Amino acid sequence: MVFLRTSEKAGSCFIRTDQLDGETDWKLKVAVSCTQRLPALGDLFSISAYVYAQKPQLDIHSFEGTFTRDDSDPPIHESLSIENTLWASTIVASGTVIGVVIYTGKETRSVMNTSNPKNKVGLLDLELNQLTKALFLALVVLSVVMVTLQGFAGPWYRNLFRFLLLFSYIIPISLRVNLDMGKAAYGWMIMKDENIPGTVVRTSTIPEELGRLVYLLTDKTVTKAKALYSPARTLTQNEMVFKRLHLGTVSYGTDTMDEIQSHVLNSYLQVHSQTSGHNPSSAPLRRSQSSTPKVKKSVSSRIHEAVKAIALCHNVTPVYEARTGITGETEFAEADQDFSDENRTYQASSPDEVALVRWTESVGLTLVSRDLASMQLKTPSGQVLTYCILQMFPFTSESKRMGIIVRDEATAEITFYMKGADVAMSTIVQYNDWLEEECGNMAREGLRTLVVAKRTLTEEQYQDFESRYSQAKLSIHDRTLKVAAVVESLEREMELLCLTGVEDQLQADVRPTLEMLRNAGIKIWMLTGDKLETATCIAKSSHLVSRTQDIHIFRPVTNRGEAHLELNAFRRKHDCALVISGDSLEVCLRYYEHELVELACQCPAVVCCRCSPTQKAHIVTLLRQHTRKRTCAIGDGGNDVSMIQAADCGIGIEGKEGKQASLAADFSITQFRHIGRLLMVHGRNSYKRSAALGQFVMHRGLIISTMQAVFSSVFYFASVPLYQGFLMVGYATIYTMFPVFSLVLDQDVKPEMAILYPELYKDLTKGRSLSFKTFLIWVLISIYQGGILMYGALLLFEAEFVHVVAISFTALILTELLMVALTIRTWHWLMVVAEFLSLGCYVASLAFLNEYFGIGRVSFGAFLDVAFITTVTFLWKVSAITVVSCLPLYVLKYLKRKLSPPSYSKLSS
């Protein structure tokens, strides 16, 4: 909506936009001045006016429109920009607001930036689908071969279908059931893990994806730290702390701030004592001050100047929580008691400004009030100094600096203060030899640097500037250029005051976690809505980019030619991190999509700054399409939802920015560091277990189908079932299900090992646990075992042929149980229970399922005689067949582990 009127005196209010763009700082919005000036609220209904607005679009950082009031003479035209708008999904933080709604429903910015979620399917499921198709093909081929060997005699097509039904066990129908139960079990294990409390699994379909990730796309805020007990952010916590003040000759760190405090106190006491001469204590004070050496005094005055500049040059507003009993209407003079410190919070559009003002408060110079025309500072002695704000030059990403011109009410002195990034300021300030070097030093510590400078103006200089400035602001063509030119005329030979360093605190254990992920072969991309400098700073301080690495900052490009040149420049660099802004990215993707993605994928780390929510999702989709690798997105705000939904696996962090991301994600965690364990331990286990489980279920179907095939071929390709009804049902359920399903408890590496050696994760991304190679090995095992079991049973039982079913089935069950034991890598007590339970079930069922152990029609006459089962011959023959079918595999497994052990076994031995 367009912002028409507010209850705040200044005609402006703050809004919070964290759900829209992920930035936690408050934004200042300004009401349309002609409606704000109306005497009463009701007058809004009596005027005749209209708003002209552009058509709905995605960009949340721009808006163009005009406001026209046509019942006045002459009509009033006002231009509307982004600062006159309030978007949906933002929160009004101060005062009340009245506006006219322009976009609703699908046209709002937040809805246009969201995408419809899609159903996610894990890579493992897709691979198993491929194998199942192969099995289906095998089934058809086998049936056709059988009918062909019959010689197409009689109604062959009927026989073909009979064979299709007999061999239908090749297709593992129980595979889905087992896998889905397995996935539910993994989800339960993740939620029950004490090391990552508060983790929620919101989807039961893709826990295995956690073990296959190659690209991790994270929001900047995911790494930032958080205050105790406050909710997390993705990397950072948007808590800034002032760390360093450098004056060229002397530098102050956190441990020497008390010196600054005493300097400030002294210089104000000195000023105070000179202005109020009747103060009895002033005489000794003045003497002590003058007797100190000259250098000391100059340092003291320089500190005083620097602190004053930091306290004045900003865009921060102190906000007082109105306590009960004090109405907000009191004038500032009487409301001096309302300036109490515990009551005051600072609001600004960037958290580092707040950090600077908080720091000046801690050393004694406090910002107590501010409106559009003036601001007041309180000195350590309690005196309030008032400054008139004559001009404000806000920070823009092009100029990289902000300025303010203030007049001191007491002395009528006009000063132009300025602060900005070192690149922008180094040409403006007077010549010095330390600035560049110190900026480099601070940047290496991961501090954000700001250079502060000032210039004193005479009344004539200011008047001259003001007339030129207002003239430039009225021009219609090239307004921004003209205004910039006028401001630049002031920015010459400014006196360098100091260099400040502010630290953006990281969440707990971000650095080790990122280090771990990097060692695991995961490439980390940071997609953030922040400014380029901020993004680069965080990338360095969170060790996303290692200290020795070069950073290639992709210059802003607007057309095809520039993009081509920049890409070529980037191609010549090797092993350096890439930092690129959203706009440049958009241009490059339009013309050179393939080239850009290919180059970026070779980088150890990529940072995209100034990204809109849609762009984040677009980058994720591009990565998936181009690399065919698995991607994972982590975010914590409403602006990350589309990215989380676009990735193969979305992880949300419950954060300062609400629960939107964590509700839209597949997994929700409470802290960024938990992701290490989630991937290294749970991702690994889920993938390995599901791969083993899937292949084992296939093997279970194949082995019984092989036996059926051998049986049929011995009996002149007759389409007669080997095992009757319940045996077939019991085989896949009660007899073998528990041991096979107990594979979900298996683990190849202890969790501590997996976290200690993240390099083990690299093997998983190659997908070697489940591939056509391993599948073929299992098929060969099944054919070998099925053949041995059946031929063995037929060979050893020439005489009592009636008992072939009992023998072969018993041997089959034993083989399956032994195979489970062979596959398991780490035993769990439940696995042992499952093995014996299944064996017990089988032995018990021999007693009352006797009629099933006959063959074909004969079965009704030949009941299973219990006497035969208990004879020694039965037992040794069954044992012999089982040994022949399983022993070679045990030997092979032993040799393989001796000759080419997997990487993890070298660690655990």
Side-chain angles (χ1 to χ4, degrees), residues 694-706:
Q695 298 187 79
F696 208 92
V697 173
M698 288 178 176
H699 155 81
R700 190 169 71 183
L702 274 168
I703 193 169
I704 202 161
S705 299
T706 310

Side-chain angles (χ1 to χ4, degrees), residues 75 90 173 452 504 804:
T90 57
I173 296 171
V452 185
D504 203 340
V804 72

